[in-house]
């Protein structure tokens, strides 16, 4: 009853279908990994470029602010005030690093890597 030709042919077709399905799933996984890797690399590249441009902008704005403050407090005082402002910003980033940096980064990576 179990060894007739139709059952053997059906089992053979099932095995071929399963092999094809496994091949398609592995191809899907590879393409998904490539897509997510490209998205991460693109995000890193864009973020790096934006950070570089923002840094250059902040340098020029800092010099402009220092030169604007110079008539009021003197050259050294103006640059010291600008340095103090950056020090306060640094302290704020250290204190709030989990809220401002770690949490959004983890959420972004989790949404990217866990999305289907």
């Amino acid at each position: 009853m179990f060894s007739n030709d139709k059952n053997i042919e059906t089992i053979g077709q099932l095995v071929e279908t399963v092999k094809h399905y496994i091949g398609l799933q592995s191809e899907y996984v590879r393409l998904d990994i490539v897509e997510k890797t490209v998205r991460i690399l693109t995000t890193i590249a864009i973020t790096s470029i934006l950070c570089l441009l923002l840094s250059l902008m902040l340098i020029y704005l800092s010099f402009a602010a220092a030169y604007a403050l110079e008539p009021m407090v003197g050259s050294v005082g103006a640059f010291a005030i600008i340095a103090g402002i950056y020090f306060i910003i640094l302290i704020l980033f250290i204190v709030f690093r989990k809220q401002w940096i770690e949490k959004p980064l983890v959420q972004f990576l989790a949404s990217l890597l866990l999305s289907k």
Side-chain angles (χ1 to χ4, degrees):
M1 178 172 163
F2 289 110
S3 64
N4 67 23
D5 290 336
K6 186 173 182 177
N7 286 342
I8 292 173
E9 184 179 317
T10 304
I11 291 173
Q13 288 174 346
L14 179 63
V15 168
E16 287 300 317
T17 303
V18 168
K19 284 181 184 178
H20 183 67
Y21 176 76
I22 290 172
L24 289 176
Q25 284 296 348
S26 65
E27 183 70 19
Y28 172 75
V29 168
R30 276 187 265 143
L31 290 174
D32 193 44
I33 289 171
V34 167
E35 177 200 3
K36 289 177 181 180
T37 303
V38 167
R39 287 178 63 190
I40 288 173
L41 291 175
T42 303
T43 303
I44 289 171
I46 290 172
T47 304
S48 299
I49 291 169
L50 288 176
C51 285
L52 176 69
L53 292 174
L54 181 65
S55 297
L56 290 173
M57 184 184 73
L58 284 175
I59 288 170
Y60 283 108
L61 287 175
S62 297
F63 277 111
Y67 286 123
L69 289 173
E70 183 180 6
M72 292 179 263
V73 293
S75 178
V76 175
F79 283 100
I81 289 172
I82 300 300
I85 291 170
Y86 281 124
F87 183 72
I88 291 170
I89 292 171
L90 173 69
I91 297 298
L92 288 173
F93 267 99
I94 289 172
V95 170
F96 295 109
R97 70 182 177 273
K98 288 191 187 294
Q99 286 176 273
W100 292 350
I101 298 170
E102 290 177 18
K103 190 175 178 181
L105 186 61
V106 167
Q107 287 176 348
F108 169 73
L109 290 174
S111 69
L112 177 70
L113 296 174
L114 297 177
S115 67
K116 289 192 175 193

